[in-house]
């Protein structure tokens, strides 16, 4: 039966070529604009670490002075060095990592390659297993190497290619700033989107090129980057152990909900102890957010992308309204034909079904053309200077969704015209003939 209706639809399209092309173009433009913006939004708002996002939590403590305090305020988004090192030392989580961004000068021992600056991350040993960082070669460093302030480094595959020409560089020496470091690992293909572990830097930027133990970086006074908030005198050493400054991100891995509750109570008790000791002045105010909760709190998707998504959806709606009008004109113009078919025994359901098949066929063709427009739109997005632009691509899931959306939208647009068409009265149409 579907083949019969489809054949009738093709005959109808041949009779009304101009009107059919207008409907196809309306659907294609709406789908192209909508899918371009929806794909970008999908890429930027996805789960960056789906296998563990429900087990990783971002820690917030409120260590600031009472000046400017208002009840109900959010605690500071980063922690002090003293708090981070204390939490790390007490090891109440399954895994925990403290970190901050930085930069180093890489001096290659390779002819023709001049020294250059590279993005760095100063962190602790659990960073690599906690975030499931894949290793192309070697390993991350150990907790003992953390404590010993060992001069070891994990590097990205891009830096490995640039400095060592690729291959297994584990055990080789790499000069960073004024010190020689031993390469213990090379990171494989890893680029979480967004870069959830540090929302104070480029949220959609590429992976850092160098990872160094936090204590080693502090001891060597390597340049750090990112935000810092101080509320008292640090005697010129904002990175000092007792400095009243927050500048460190702290993550913890907790295996099950009961552990989450225990750790939240631990943070509250720790805050109480620090206030009793005179360090914390504000009332206990802690937060423990999972990865997706943290991204939602930070409103990670850029405002312009959200605005473009709403504009794309609005444009699709306008195109659907136009398609409804075109289908209505097309079906009602064929009133005499429908009346004859009804007089010859065709049921209202048959007329309704045929009209929906025609609308769905328009959507299928419009979806194919809209897919091409979506690919063109994504290519245009990738030419933009924003750091997230290069991430815009249409995966298999979005490809299937494009066709489903196109057909569903056209069928939806065809409901009213099909319903009007099946109301045609045979006697009136035959009398007019």
């Amino acid at each position: 039966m579907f083949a019969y209706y489809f054949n009738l639809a093709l005959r109808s399209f041949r009779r009304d070529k101009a009107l059919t092309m207008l409907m196809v173009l309306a659907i294609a433009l709406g789908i192209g604009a909508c899918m371009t913006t929806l794909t970008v939004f999908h890429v930027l708002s996805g789960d960056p670490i789906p296998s563990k996002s429900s087990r990783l939590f971002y820690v917030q403590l409120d260590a600031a002075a009472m000046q400017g305090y208002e009840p109900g305020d959010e605690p500071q988004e980063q922690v002090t060095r003293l708090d981070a090192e204390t939490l790390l030392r007490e090891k109440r989580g399954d895994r925990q990592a403290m970190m901050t961004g930085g930069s180093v000068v890489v001096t290659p021992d390779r002819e023709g390659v001049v020294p250059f600056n590279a993005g760095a991350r100063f962190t602790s040993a659990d960073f690599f297993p906690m975030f499931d960082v894949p290793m192309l070669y070697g390993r991350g460093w150990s907790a003992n190497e953390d404590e010993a302030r060992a001069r070891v480094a994990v590097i990205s595959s891009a830096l490995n290619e640039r400095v060592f020409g690729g291959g297994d560089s584990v055990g080789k020496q790499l000069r960073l700033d004024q010190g020689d470091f031993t390469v213990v690992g090379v990171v494989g293909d890893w680029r979480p989107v967004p870069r959830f572990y540090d929302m104070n830097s480029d949220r959609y930027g590429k992976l850092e090129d160098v990872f160094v133990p936090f204590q080693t970086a502090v001891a060597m006074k390597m340049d750090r980057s990112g935000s810092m908030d101080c509320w008292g005198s640090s005697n010129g050493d904002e990175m000092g152990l007792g400095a009243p400054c927050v500048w460190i991100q702290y993550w913890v891995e907790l295996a099950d909900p009961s552990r989450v509750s225990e750790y939240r109570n631990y943070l509250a008790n720790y805050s109480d102890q620090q206030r009793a000791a005179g360090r914390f002045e504000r009332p206990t105010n802690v937060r423990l957010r999972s990865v997706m909760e943290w991204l939602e709190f930070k409103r990670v998707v850029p405002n312009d992308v959200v605005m473009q998504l709403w504009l794309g959806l609005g444009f699709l709606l306008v195109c659907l309204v136009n398609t409804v009008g075109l289908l209505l004109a097309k079906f009602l113009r064929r009133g005499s034909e429908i009346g004859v078919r009804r007089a010859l025994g065709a049921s209202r359901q048959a007329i309704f079904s045929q009209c929906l098949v025609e609308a769905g066929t328009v959507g299928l063709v419009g979806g194919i053309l809209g897919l091409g427009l979506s690919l063109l739109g994504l290519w245009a997005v990738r030419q933009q200077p924003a750091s997230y632009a290069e991430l815009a691509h249409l995966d298999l899931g979005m490809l299937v969704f494009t066709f489903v959306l196109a057909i569903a939208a056209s069928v939806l647009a065809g409901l009213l015209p099909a319903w009007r068409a099946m109301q045609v009265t045979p006697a009136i149409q035959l009398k007019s003939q």
Side-chain angles (χ1 to χ4, degrees):
M1 186 61 71
F2 176 80
Y4 172 70
Y5 291 149
F6 184 71
N7 186 49
L8 290 178
L10 292 181
R11 290 182 182 181
S12 173
F13 294 155
R14 284 195 291 268
R15 287 198 303 268
D16 298 306
K17 294 179 181 178
L19 198 57
T20 300
M21 288 303 300
L22 283 175
M23 291 187 292
V24 168
L25 185 60
I27 291 292
L29 289 174
I31 292 297
C34 181
M35 289 309 301
T36 298
T37 56
L38 188 61
T39 299
V40 174
F41 181 83
H42 172 72
V43 170
L44 301 188
S45 63
D47 189 340
I49 183 168
S51 62
K52 300 184 73 173
S53 59
S54 62
R55 307 203 309 264
L56 299 177
F57 295 86
Y58 189 73
V59 173
Q60 292 174 262
L61 300 171
D62 203 348
M66 283 298 293
Q67 183 177 1
Y69 169 74
E70 292 185 10
D73 281 353
E74 278 285 326
Q76 294 158 307
E77 294 184 4
Q78 301 182 100
V79 298
T80 67
R81 179 183 167 190
L82 177 59
D83 294 324
E85 292 192 9
T86 302
L87 298 181
L88 190 72
R89 185 171 57 253
E90 294 186 355
K91 298 181 179 179
R92 294 299 184 91
D94 300 321
R95 291 191 180 105
Q96 43 273 312
M98 57 184 292
M99 68 194 76
T100 189
S103 64
V104 294
V105 177
V106 180
T107 305
D109 186 16
R110 186 181 178 191
E111 187 176 351
V113 182
V114 299
F116 58 91
N117 286 315
R121 180 139 302 269
F122 310 141
T123 184
S124 50
D126 280 350
F127 178 92
F128 304 100
M130 192 163 85
F131 295 136
D132 285 344
V133 180
M135 288 294 172
L136 190 61
Y137 303 107
R139 57 172 178 81
W141 58 82
S142 65
N144 290 334
E145 288 170 313
D146 259 337
E147 296 175 3
R149 301 181 177 180
R151 293 193 177 186
V152 294
V154 172
I155 61 176
S156 68
S157 56
L159 185 68
N160 184 49
E161 183 70 32
R162 184 174 181 179
V163 175
F164 299 110
D168 188 353
S169 58
V170 173
K172 294 183 178 180
Q173 296 296 300
L174 178 65
R175 189 160 188 81
L176 304 176
D177 289 347
Q178 302 302 315
D180 291 326
F181 285 70
T182 301
V183 176
V184 295
V186 178
V187 177
D189 184 16
W190 189 65
R191 185 181 180 181
V193 179
R195 200 167 66 173
F196 66 96
Y197 56 84
D198 185 357
M199 302 298 289
N200 297 292
S201 55
D202 190 349
R203 297 178 176 185
Y204 297 99
K206 294 181 179 180
L207 178 70
E208 295 92 345
D209 283 318
V210 179
F211 295 81
V212 171
F214 181 90
Q215 297 297 344
T216 305
V218 170
M220 296 184 65
K221 299 187 177 186
M222 291 179 163
D223 289 338
R224 61 164 299 278
S225 60
S227 64
M228 175 181 284
D229 182 21
C230 299
W231 57 87
S233 174
S234 58
N235 296 319
D237 185 12
E238 290 85 1
M239 296 173 59
L241 184 60
C245 302
V246 290
W247 54 284
I248 297 172
Q249 303 94 45
Y250 195 91
W251 285 88
V252 61
E253 180 178 347
L254 303 168
D256 55 69
S258 63
R259 296 278 290 131
V260 176
S261 179
E262 291 174 4
Y263 198 85
R264 186 176 283 108
N265 291 335
Y266 160 68
L267 291 178
N269 292 333
Y270 174 81
S271 181
D272 290 341
Q273 293 170 5
Q274 296 303 311
R275 189 169 60 258
R279 282 193 64 238
F280 288 9
E281 298 180 10
R282 298 185 177 187
T284 297
N285 187 17
V286 302
R287 296 288 188 277
L288 192 62
R289 290 183 167 101
S290 67
V291 171
M292 297 308 293
E293 290 171 342
W294 179 237
L295 295 183
E296 181 180 359
F297 171 73
K298 293 294 291 182
R299 297 182 180 179
V300 63
V301 181
N303 290 332
D304 59 334
V305 173
V306 177
M307 179 62 70
Q308 290 166 10
L309 174 62
W310 284 111
L311 290 175
L313 292 173
F315 187 68
L316 175 60
L317 180 61
V318 171
C319 291
L320 288 181
V321 171
N322 289 333
T323 303
V324 169
L326 293 172
L327 285 172
L328 196 59
K330 178 181 175 67
F331 292 161
L332 294 184
R333 193 166 65 179
R334 291 162 46 197
S336 58
E337 174 193 332
I338 295 173
V340 171
R341 288 189 59 202
R342 290 279 287 113
L344 293 176
S347 65
R348 288 186 174 184
Q349 181 180 358
I351 300 299
F352 186 78
S353 299
Q354 180 197 339
C355 291
L356 286 188
V357 169
E358 288 191 32
T361 305
V362 168
L364 178 62
V365 179
I368 295 173
L369 182 57
L371 176 62
L373 295 176
S374 297
L375 294 175
L376 182 62
L378 292 175
W379 176 83
V381 170
R382 288 194 291 271
Q383 310 311 307
Q384 301 302 312
S387 60
Y388 63 79
E390 62 180 328
L391 300 170
H393 66 280
L394 196 65
D395 58 23
L396 180 60
M398 296 302 291
L399 179 65
V400 173
F401 184 71
T402 300
F403 288 107
V404 172
L405 179 62
I407 295 174
S410 60
V411 170
L412 183 64
L415 286 176
L416 176 61
W419 181 81
R420 290 290 303 274
M422 78 177 189
Q423 303 300 319
V424 170
T425 304
I428 296 177
Q429 293 299 327
L430 290 176
K431 184 177 179 180
S432 66
Q433 291 296 316

